[in-house]
Amino acid sequence: MKTLVIVSHPGFEQSAVTRTIKQVAESLPDTEVRHLEERYGDDAARFDVTAEQAAHDAVERIVIVFPIHWFNLTPMLKAYMNRVWTYGWAFGPGGTALRGKRMQVVVSAGAAEATYSHQGLIRSTMDEVLTPLKASALYIGMRWEPPLAFYGVMNADAARLAGIGQAFAQRMADCLEPA
């Protein structure tokens, strides 16, 4: 299955988890990785919208990798979706570019999994935190896959990073059956 992996992290160099996932993604067959901050810095005005839209054309699955950033997307990822997933291309009259493609979200959170529960500090699950992204995917006709979340990742040691890389690779392999 041809896959596009979009990576965003405002502090990428400090994130062993996101770097690990990106490295694993780069090793997977039929996978293109586009790291937003690496390509465009923190300037959304620099997005090459035509190139970014073209990167979506030949794939069947779009994987978005990011850390939960104030219980939301990273700023560059939100700007990317606003500028690239446009009316008339992704949705609206004639906008079917993403229809039928699979959406896989892979997130990391510094907080423990218990924080993301109805009994936890934010009284919301990770699925609830990701509701706007899920709604966007479903609205434009994408197939929403269950998210893959890694919790309590601050200061992850080598063994934990290896486990995260393996879990990500396994999820990518598990999603190979036809829709």
Side-chain angles (χ1 to χ4, degrees), residues 10-177:
F12 182 76
E13 292 306 317
Q14 291 79 41
S15 176
V17 171
T18 304
R19 284 195 326 268
T20 296
I21 293 169
K22 180 180 180 269
Q23 289 169 350
V24 171
E26 290 170 336
S27 75
L28 299 174
D30 294 320
T31 301
E32 178 181 358
V33 178
R34 297 177 84 80
H35 177 192
L36 299 183
E37 289 81 5
E38 189 175 87
R39 287 176 176 268
Y40 304 110
D42 63 358
D43 186 359
R46 291 182 48 210
F47 288 149
D48 182 339
V49 173
T50 302
E52 295 302 326
Q53 289 176 342
H56 289 74
D57 288 341
V59 303
E60 300 156 89
R61 173 175 55 186
I62 298 165
V63 179
I64 299 178
V65 178
F66 65 98
I68 292 297
H69 191 268
W70 281 109
F71 310 102
N72 208 326
L73 305 174
T74 63
M76 282 296 281
L77 185 54
K78 177 61 175 141
Y80 182 88
M81 291 179 71
N82 288 344
R83 301 236 11 243
V84 175
W85 292 16
T86 58
Y87 183 81
W89 179 76
F91 65 100
T96 61
L98 301 177
R99 185 170 294 146
K101 296 181 189 282
R102 293 174 182 216
M103 164 76 88
Q104 175 69 66
V105 173
V106 179
V107 295
S108 58
E113 187 170 0
T115 301
Y116 293 87
S117 71
H118 292 140
Q119 298 74 35
L121 181 63
I122 66 167
R123 297 190 179 133
S124 299
T125 66
M126 184 61 78
D127 284 341
E128 291 167 340
V129 169
L130 295 173
T131 295
L133 192 53
K134 177 181 180 180
S136 296
L138 294 174
Y139 182 74
I140 59 179
M142 297 181 81
R143 178 177 168 188
W144 178 258
E145 300 288 341
L148 177 60
F150 300 104
Y151 302 93
V153 299
M154 298 192 64
N155 304 314
D157 63 15
R160 177 89 193 277
L161 292 172
I164 287 169
Q166 288 176 324
F168 173 73
Q170 186 62 54
R171 177 62 66 91
M172 296 301 96
D174 288 346
C175 294
L176 292 180
E177 290 109 38

